[in-house]
Every structure is written in C-alpha cells, then in structure tokens.
Amino acid sequence: MTRACTHIALALHDHKGTYWPYVVTTLTSVFLHSSSALHVHLLHDDTLSPEACAAVSQLCRKYQHRLTLHPVELSSAMATIDTRQFSVASLYRLMLPQLLRHLDLVIYLDADLIFNLVDIAELVRAIDSDPHQHPVSAVVDDLFSGSASSRRELQMLGIPASQYFNSGLLGLRPQRIDLDLMESLKHFIERHPEAEHIDQDLLNQTFAQKVHWLPAKFNHQVNLTRGRYFDAIDSFNQKILHYTGKAKPLSGTFAPPDIHFWRYTHEVPHIHRYIQAPMRYLQQMHERPGSAYLIPTRERKP
C-alpha cells in the first residue's frame, strides 16, 4: 500500500510544563531516521505551553514534516476518572479513531519512546504486512506479567499474558474501528473498577483476537522489571525503546539505555532545565576493601 505520508499521533498533558521535552525527543528520534514524509498529530489540552508549542512546530518545520495540533477536552464525567499513576493524556489516544476517521492508518506513539536507529517506514511495512488489516497492530507486553497485581489483572480481563499488548505503540486503522472508545471506557470502568491500566486494559479487552502482532523490537520496554534497565548497551540498538516505569532519563537516571535517549535531545532548547537532580551516591571504602556504603548528597531546593 502506497501512502502520500505516514500519520503519527502523540498526546500531551503537561500541567508541570516539564514533560514536553519527551515529545520533542521522541519526534527527533523518528525524524532523524525516517525515509518517509510524516504528518504529526499532537493531541493536547490547555496545558500546552507557548514554549512547547513553538519547540514542536519549529522541529517539524526544520525536518519538513507536517504538524496538526488537536486541542482536546475531556467531558466533565471523564475528567473525574482516576488514571492511577498514569497521565490523563493516556486517555486522549482513545479519541484517535473518531478524530482521524478519514485515515486508513495512524501510528500512535507514547512520548517516552525512542526510535533508536529505526526507520518508521520499517514499522509501517510490518503493519501493512497484515493480510487481514486488523484494527490494531501492537507488540506483546512481555513484562506485564512480572508482578502479582498484573497477573491478577490479566485474570480479571480473561486474557493470557501472551495475548496482552502494550499500548505505547499502536498501529490503528480508524476506518475499521466502529466503537467510540471514550464511551466504551465509561462502561469498562463500571465493570472493572479495580483495573489499574484502564485505557490499556480497555483496548486489550476490546480488540482481543483482533490484533496484528508486531515484532518485539518495535516496542522494547526499558524499565527495572527483570533488570532490563541494566542490559548491555548494544542490546538496545535498532529497536524502538519504550521507557516505561518510574525510571526515566530526565528523572536523573543514568544506565545503558539512557545513553540512547540523550543522543536525541539536541532539539530541546536548554535541555538541562528539565533534568531532575539525581540522588548522587559516593562510594567509600569502609572496614575492608570492596565494601561500600551509599551516601546521598544534599540537593539544593529550586
């Protein structure tokens, strides 16, 4: 299938004004390796700052890709939903099938992804290889069953771990999705008030048996589960890295996958302003060679 351009969508809620650098960094990683013309759709609410808007707009102009800003607003009922530890922007992706109904394919990207030496055209080819054109293309969440709470969640949904996908990267075919997913979410929460990953769980339950499975390299989760954050540095090459969990590069971590993140931050003006001061550890010899204790430094209040 030949398209004039590839449509990608991201969502942003930024009440602290410190998350938009992730959006710019994700887009930079996509743009640097893309052999395709791109049309970026940014779903945002009133927390989009003028600085963030200017940075995203300038980035798209520099790399000659089209940008459309989509102001969105949740209904009063939806605005009261407890999204747990996740940003309310996680709900905005549920609007995409209605908002972009005219498109045959849109690729949704979380803002904590890095296309590390990956051309998005390769991802599009993998999605288009689906002869049945399923409504959703995604990668199995190979870390989801790592905790007891997640295993209970899978049991609640009636979905085996091998059939549960991570919703941080999705190939969506809006014309093959008839449901209003935002409306479906209300009913889902009524049925499953204990659900932790409400939007991701909804998508998994809604599209069970209707998923085109993508190779794992297109959503390689990087977090502390099973020690993946400390894998060898070259194990992250030629993969789409997804910095899930609490350990994120701008929070001050510095482990092998963070090096790949920093390769793509050069388009964020004054990126140092958004780095949270990490806990610094001084390793000192104590009692005998090879033993150490960790001393956190005092950090100045902003």
Side-chain angles (χ1 to χ4, degrees):
M1 182 181 297
T2 301
R3 297 184 181 86
C5 69
T6 297
H7 292 262
I8 62 176
L10 297 89
L12 177 65
H13 172 76
D14 198 14
H15 70 284
K16 293 183 179 179
T18 58
Y19 201 76
W20 66 265
Y22 281 105
V23 173
V24 172
T25 304
T26 294
L27 288 175
T28 300
S29 75
V30 175
F31 293 173
L32 283 175
H33 305 299
S34 178
S35 62
S36 307
L38 301 172
H39 186 159
V40 178
H41 301 266
L42 180 61
L43 281 61
H44 68 91
D45 51 30
D46 58 5
T47 64
L48 178 68
S49 68
E51 181 182 23
C53 184
V56 174
S57 300
Q58 181 177 348
L59 180 72
C60 291
R61 285 195 302 271
K62 177 177 178 177
Y63 289 91
Q64 300 182 329
H65 296 301
R66 185 177 174 186
L67 170 67
T68 299
L69 298 174
H70 299 271
V72 298
E73 185 177 0
L74 295 177
S75 67
S76 55
M78 299 302 288
T80 62
I81 291 176
D82 180 5
T83 56
R84 307 295 196 269
Q85 71 269 33
F86 304 102
S87 168
V88 69
S90 63
L91 304 184
Y92 298 164
R93 64 184 140 196
L94 302 179
M95 302 178 182
L96 287 171
Q98 298 289 326
L99 186 65
L100 301 178
R101 172 66 61 186
H102 60 290
L103 299 179
D104 70 296
L105 174 67
V106 58
I107 297 175
Y108 168 78
L109 305 175
D110 269 358
D112 53 0
L113 293 173
I114 289 295
F115 279 60
N116 191 29
L117 306 175
V118 175
D119 185 343
I120 196 170
E122 183 184 357
L123 171 61
V124 172
R125 285 193 295 270
I127 295 171
D128 281 341
S129 70
D130 174 15
H132 304 292
Q133 293 201 339
H134 286 86
V136 172
S137 295
V139 173
V140 171
D141 192 324
D142 62 342
L143 296 183
F144 191 77
S145 60
S147 68
S149 61
S150 294
R151 291 192 289 273
R152 287 193 298 270
E153 203 159 347
L154 289 170
Q155 186 175 20
M156 172 197 72
L157 296 170
I159 299 175
S162 62
Q163 299 290 306
Y164 185 90
F165 60 82
N166 181 276
S167 59
L169 183 147
L170 299 170
L172 299 173
R173 297 188 183 276
Q175 296 172 9
R176 300 182 69 84
I177 300 175
D178 297 327
L179 294 172
D180 182 334
L181 294 175
M182 292 299 290
E183 187 68 24
S184 298
L185 183 64
K186 291 192 295 185
H187 302 301
F188 176 83
I189 293 173
E190 290 171 0
R191 295 193 308 271
H192 303 293
E194 71 277 30
E196 290 290 326
H197 304 75
I198 56 172
D199 56 298
Q200 183 168 276
D201 287 349
L202 166 72
L203 290 168
N204 271 275
Q205 192 172 77
T206 300
F207 296 107
Q209 310 301 319
K210 300 176 183 177
V211 181
H212 171 56
W213 297 107
L214 298 170
K217 70 176 183 177
F218 291 124
N219 189 346
H220 184 76
Q221 291 189 69
V222 179
N223 63 33
L224 296 174
T225 303
R226 300 174 189 165
R228 188 174 287 176
Y229 218 94
F230 305 102
D231 286 350
I233 189 169
D234 59 356
S235 70
F236 302 103
N237 287 337
Q238 297 180 315
K239 294 176 181 176
I240 298 176
L241 307 181
H242 188 183
Y243 296 80
T244 54
K246 296 180 179 179
K248 295 187 186 296
L250 291 182
S251 66
T253 64
F254 195 71
D258 297 322
I259 294 172
H260 296 295
F261 174 87
W262 286 101
R263 295 172 64 185
Y264 301 102
T265 60
H266 55 276
E267 299 291 355
V268 180
H270 310 294
I271 183 66
H272 64 276
R273 293 179 296 160
Y274 302 97
I275 306 170
Q276 298 176 31
M279 188 69 75
R280 300 176 182 88
Y281 297 112
L282 300 178
Q283 227 177 22
Q284 296 192 355
M285 300 304 293
H286 180 62
E287 293 183 353
R288 65 182 186 276
S291 64
Y293 60 97
L294 301 177
I295 306 174
T297 63
R298 296 182 200 171
E299 294 179 353
R300 292 182 299 174
K301 299 295 183 183

